[in-house]
Amino acid sequence: MIVSMRRQTAILLAVLLALVGLAGSPAGTQQGDLSPVTAIVSLTGSASATALRGVRVVSELPSFGMVVVTGTADALRSLRGRAGVRGVTPDYQLAPTAKDASPGSGSLFAGDHLNGLVATDGAGAGVTVAVVDTGISDTPALNRASGRLHDGINTSGIASFADGYGHGTFMANLVAGGRAPGSGSHTLGVAPAASVVNVKVAGSTGNTSLVQVLAAFSWIDYFADRIDIVEFAYSGARPGAAYGPDPLTDAIERMRASGILSVVSSGNVSGQLGDPGFDPYALTVGAADVRPGTGREVAGFSGYGNVYGVVKPDVVASGVGLLSLLPVDSLVAAQNPQSLQPNGLYRGSGTSHASAITAGLAATVLQRFPDATPGDVKATLRSTARNISGTGSGQGLVSVPEQLYRADGDQRRNAGTGEEDLDQAAWLANSWLDGAWLEDTAASWSAASWSAASWSAASWSAGSWSAASWSAASWSAASWSAASWSAASWSAASWSARSWS
């Protein structure tokens, strides 16, 4: 199975990277008023990237029906309405949904507000969660030597899979961290027996882009038979006030169709929903303050809204004063020295933390009900949530379910997911894919937002893949050097049959 996965990875990366132009020079300036900039072109099912004249094709994401291109704003505008083109979306930035260390007193472990068989040594066993974030550094609670942390793909532009920012490490340990010095009898994560795949999309600044995230999601979708849950605690904002489909929500929905549950944060702006948190088909999570003495209420910063009949977030989870671990040399640790607690753990808040806890809880549901679909898990967590005070609570505070709720039960499709109330026509009417708002954002595009250097060999870490995975025929010397691959990360010990059964 390890050999098969390596061959599949070779095929996938050949598709994703063959057109990236690793051996070529950055795109030159084209005629027009603007320098070349980057956009996502969404294609119809029968369309081919070869028909996109006037722009340079950088890469293809075939499973999502998308193409990454560069061109002037005029050239990109000219694609709108062309046969085979669903729409054009400029690249944009996404930021993690963690806040600075929260003021006040009182700290919690991830499982403190949950009852049942969670945050115990065997919780989450056999389930794999992809943490799409700033990378993951080894900690005493979750490390590569344990066989539970695996490096997957790195689209950040930084060679190392380690976490220079800190956000990814903190979240991964809330999902699946075990015991650590300072945690006593507590595990840091809700599902400390689950496996975690490190999907790195951001470097030491913490910020990433739509293109980097879509490339990572495409990789995850390809390995849908190996990955059960995606935890994504990032948020982007759309230019207009209305919510509607875009390439990011499209990717979330396509992964769900492949059998992967996406657990995403609602964002940290009260009264608003971040992207992709507003997607009706994601499991969107807001933050609650359940520290002792607080009265158990929705956190004041937690995002919420109504998406054409679908109330978001779906649920809330503990998101204030959570204890976890940070790399000591990370930017978050350096900028928030007050978050370091006397027990050696760090304290943080945000809808990021709530989404990580819920992803861990979802892993324990799949452990107990391995045939559950993403819709089943979503319906179950919504149906078993408990009442909590405050605006933006969704269905309530997550709890440990005692039974599984089938989303397609009683002849009702998506029953219990909240999606059955979606005004599909209104949702589609506000689609980003029509590109109608492109003129309003063209001025903000710049060549600096994306360049060929971002897709250089440095973008794909040398620790990612085993040299033994590739035959000489797979890659020419011009397109990829032998130095790009390491035998350590994809060794038999790292990807054992036990981990990926």
Side-chain angles (χ1 to χ4, degrees):
M1 179 160 52
I2 298 166
V3 173
S4 174
M5 187 173 187
R6 288 171 175 165
R7 287 174 180 167
Q8 292 173 347
T9 302
I11 296 169
L12 174 65
L13 284 183
V15 173
L16 289 180
L17 301 179
L19 297 178
V20 168
L22 297 173
S25 59
T29 302
Q30 300 180 24
Q31 293 183 355
D33 295 333
L34 296 177
S35 299
V37 291
T38 300
I40 309 296
V41 179
S42 297
L43 301 174
T44 60
S46 59
S48 170
T50 58
L52 300 178
R53 295 182 179 87
V55 295
R56 176 176 176 264
V57 174
V58 178
S59 186
E60 296 186 62
L61 306 175
S63 65
F64 295 159
M66 301 175 194
V67 181
V68 182
V69 303
T70 59
T72 64
D74 287 342
L76 294 170
R77 280 193 197 93
S78 72
L79 297 178
R80 290 192 295 141
R82 188 177 297 182
V85 175
R86 296 173 65 199
V88 182
T89 304
D91 198 12
Y92 58 83
Q93 191 175 78
L94 293 95
T97 53
K99 297 176 66 65
D100 294 336
S102 53
S105 61
S107 300
L108 293 172
F109 288 97
D112 280 355
H113 75 296
L114 300 171
N115 299 312
L117 297 177
V118 301
T120 57
D121 289 341
V127 179
T128 300
V129 181
V131 175
V132 183
D133 215 296
T134 58
I136 303 172
S137 294
D138 284 342
T139 71
L142 179 65
N143 51 65
R144 291 159 179 81
S146 69
R148 293 196 302 111
L149 175 58
H150 312 281
D151 290 325
I153 197 168
N154 180 353
T155 66
S156 70
I158 306 298
S160 172
F161 268 98
D163 184 7
Y165 184 68
H167 188 264
T169 301
F170 202 103
M171 298 310 125
N173 279 273
L174 290 178
V175 174
R179 292 179 177 81
S183 71
S185 61
H186 296 273
T187 63
L188 296 186
V190 175
S195 294
V196 171
V197 178
N198 177 14
V199 177
K200 181 171 179 174
V201 296
S204 58
T205 67
N207 294 324
T208 186
S209 77
L210 173 65
V211 172
Q212 289 170 299
V213 171
L214 288 175
F217 282 170
S218 181
W219 183 89
I220 292 170
D221 186 66
Y222 188 85
F223 287 113
D225 60 336
R226 312 288 204 278
I227 296 171
D228 303 298
I229 298 167
V230 167
E231 191 274 332
F232 185 58
Y234 268 71
S235 181
R238 62 164 299 157
Y243 299 121
D246 64 23
L248 191 56
T249 64
D250 197 33
I252 293 287
E253 293 170 24
R254 290 180 188 241
M255 287 191 294
R256 172 162 151 169
S258 297
I260 300 171
L261 172 68
S262 293
V263 183
V264 302
S265 55
S266 66
N268 291 341
V269 180
S270 180
Q272 297 182 29
L273 292 166
D275 190 4
F278 60 70
D279 180 62
Y281 302 96
L283 175 56
T284 306
V285 186
D289 188 350
V290 297
R291 292 173 298 167
T294 62
R296 300 170 70 88
E297 60 187 8
V298 177
F301 57 79
S302 185
Y304 63 88
N306 189 304
V307 184
Y308 312 113
V310 177
V311 175
K312 290 286 183 174
D314 293 285
V315 292
V316 294
S318 181
V320 179
L322 273 301
L323 293 171
S324 186
L325 288 168
L326 287 171
V328 295
D329 57 350
S330 65
L331 184 62
V332 172
Q335 292 183 340
N336 297 276
Q338 74 280 9
S339 68
L340 179 60
Q341 304 300 296
N343 59 7
L345 303 176
Y346 289 84
R347 183 174 179 272
S349 301
T351 53
S352 287
H353 305 64
S355 67
I357 287 173
T358 304
L361 181 58
T364 67
V365 174
L366 282 174
Q367 178 188 17
R368 293 175 60 196
F369 307 101
D371 65 336
T373 67
D376 294 340
V377 178
K378 182 180 179 183
T380 298
L381 293 180
R382 284 170 52 92
S383 299
T384 56
R386 296 169 289 167
N387 290 334
I388 185 172
S389 64
T391 304
S393 63
Q395 294 300 296
L397 182 68
V398 292
S399 64
V400 180
E402 297 181 358
Q403 67 182 77
L404 184 72
Y405 288 76
R406 292 291 184 185
D408 294 321
D410 300 324
Q411 287 74 51
R412 290 185 61 207
R413 185 173 182 269
N414 298 328
T417 62
E419 301 153 18
E420 62 270 31
D421 297 323
L422 174 66
D423 184 340
Q424 187 77 16
W427 167 252
L428 294 176
N430 289 286
S431 173
W432 289 26
L433 295 174
D434 62 12
W437 47 270
L438 186 142
E439 286 85 353
D440 296 332
T441 59
S444 67
W445 298 3
S446 70
S449 66
W450 196 263
S451 67
S454 296
W455 287 88
S456 68
S459 299
W460 307 88
S461 169
S464 304
W465 319 101
S466 168
S469 305
W470 315 100
S471 67
S474 298
W475 299 93
S476 68
S479 64
W480 208 264
S481 67
S484 299
W485 312 99
S486 163
S489 295
W490 288 77
S491 67
S494 178
W495 297 90
S496 68
R498 178 179 61 83
S499 298
W500 292 93
S501 61

